[in-house]
Amino acid sequence: MRHVIDQAAAWQRSGTRFAMATVVRTWGSSPHGPGASMLVSEEGRIVGSVSGGCVEAAVCAIAEEVLAGAAPTLERWGVGDEDAFAVGLTCGGTIEVLVREVGADVPLSRLAADIAAGVPVALVTPVDGSGFLTVGCGRATGSLGDPRTDRAATLAAEGMLRRGASGLVTSGNDATEESACAPERELLVQSFATRPRLLIFGAVEFARPLADMGAALGYRVTVCDARPAFAVAERFPRAHEVVTERPDRWFRAHEHLVDASSAACVLTHDARFDVPVLDLALRSRAGYVGAMGSRRTHADRLERLRRAGTTEAELARLRSPIGGRDRRGTARRHHPAAHLANRPGTQSVIFFERLFL
């Protein structure tokens, strides 16, 4: 979704007209959730996706009509509809997509800059296509045409942004004093929350594909190692930062950035570095904490952590050993790779299970 906003901002700067199609609701199985977006330019170029290929052709046709002057269109496709089979939506679910032209007044360049800087921000556009708001960091810019609607929309967007959620809301339908008198309007909120963090401690060879996977799936990747010969940025081109520092010192200085969407993978395989940072990570809010090593190393590590004061409840959070294969050539039970598919804060704190480095 972030690359879609980048492209939209570039087209806006160049004066290229385009329509944006956004998933606003889903039921049952669907390839993408609310917020997934696709751009269709006046020249017929396409960026992004709303259904993984199932209904894109139909969306393009609607986008062409919108660019020709039609009103914003809210379209629904479901597996039980004849139209759904005609366009290819056979996954068993239903999706609802809003297609509208994005005008020059929407501050897409600023939105893209905020997203790139890691600033949580939400874009609010009404289904009827009139006005816009950007909401984030306690401020709102733009207008939906009515101060009461602006206040109600800001409250709704702030709530969705905190949850990292996107979708439709109706302004003025809640019980808050500020929004009770606002006229009801259906609004699309697109949230761009702070990127989740993947913290890799130990710039070993296994860290390279792990950093690549994390970056590809939208994580902000930090690789940290106390050894200058290992912590070389050229070895990790997809990482956002490569730091030469003791892992525990770096973690202690940046613990305020760690939350339930964060994953910490300790790959150093050296107790001098592993134990101090694991002790901190297991006490933190990180949604996933894993460590690499053999079963013997894991047992030794647990004893060292107990002596350091780590509680049994905290030790129970440790996923270890992660990565590689056991002596029988089968996948180890814990592997850093499924948390990216089910990020903490949703259902799962298992990160990259059964995916091989």
Side-chain angles (χ1 to χ4, degrees), residues 270-354:
D270 185 329
R272 294 173 301 168
F273 301 117
D274 290 358
V275 172
V277 73
L278 280 172
D279 182 48
L280 292 172
L282 290 169
R283 299 170 191 265
S284 75
R285 296 178 296 164
Y288 173 90
V289 181
M292 190 173 70
S294 66
R295 289 181 174 83
R296 178 179 297 177
T297 299
H298 175 61
D300 176 71
R301 183 187 292 132
L302 289 179
E303 287 306 311
R304 291 174 182 269
L305 285 167
R306 288 188 180 100
R307 291 198 295 270
T310 311
T311 68
E312 293 301 318
E314 291 162 347
L315 289 174
R317 299 183 58 217
L318 178 60
R319 304 278 177 170
S320 180
I322 61 172
R325 294 172 175 265
D326 61 20
R327 291 181 179 178
R328 294 167 294 181
T330 57
R332 286 179 178 161
R333 190 168 66 87
H334 298 300
H335 197 296
H339 170 85
L340 294 188
N342 289 302
R343 293 175 179 173
T346 53
Q347 291 83 22
S348 176
V349 294
I350 302 174
F351 183 43
F352 297 16
E353 298 271 326
R354 305 184 181 210

Side-chain angles (χ1 to χ4, degrees), residues 2-127:
R2 298 167 194 266
H3 75 286
V4 172
I5 295 297
D6 288 339
Q7 184 61 67
W11 281 347
Q12 189 183 64
R13 288 192 296 271
S14 69
T16 301
R17 292 178 60 221
F18 62 92
M20 178 182 289
T22 303
V23 177
V24 296
R25 277 190 287 245
T26 66
W27 297 265
S29 175
S30 61
H32 297 302
S37 294
M38 167 180 152
L39 306 176
V40 181
S41 77
E42 59 185 344
E43 301 165 346
R45 292 181 59 193
I46 299 170
V47 175
S49 173
V50 295
S51 72
C54 298
V55 303
E56 267 70 5
V59 170
C60 285
I62 296 174
E64 290 173 1
E65 295 175 1
V66 169
L67 290 173
T73 300
L74 192 61
E75 189 71 39
R76 181 181 298 184
W77 288 279
V79 71
D81 301 330
E82 291 183 7
D83 287 346
F85 283 107
V87 299
L89 187 63
T90 58
C91 60
T94 300
I95 64 172
E96 195 168 49
V97 178
L98 174 65
V99 185
R100 78 281 190 199
E101 183 174 1
V102 179
D105 58 332
V106 180
L108 291 176
S109 291
R110 179 169 180 174
L111 183 67
D114 283 346
I115 294 170
V119 177
V121 63
L123 175 64
V124 183
T125 51
V127 171

Side-chain angles (χ1 to χ4, degrees), residues 164-187:
S166 296
L168 287 182
V169 297
T170 302
S171 68
N173 70 342
D174 58 28
T176 62
E177 182 180 347
E178 291 186 70
S179 61
C181 297
E184 287 196 4
R185 291 180 72 184
E186 202 164 28
L187 308 171

Side-chain angles (χ1 to χ4, degrees), residues 240-276:
H240 295 84
E241 57 182 346
V242 179
V243 182
T244 304
E245 178 61 278
R246 281 190 60 95
D248 57 312
R249 290 176 185 167
W250 186 94
F251 196 98
R252 188 176 286 107
H254 296 84
E255 188 171 355
H256 63 285
L257 300 175
V258 176
D259 59 21
S261 69
S262 304
C265 293
V266 179
L267 312 181
T268 317
H269 209 282
D270 185 329
R272 294 173 301 168
F273 301 117
D274 290 358
V275 172

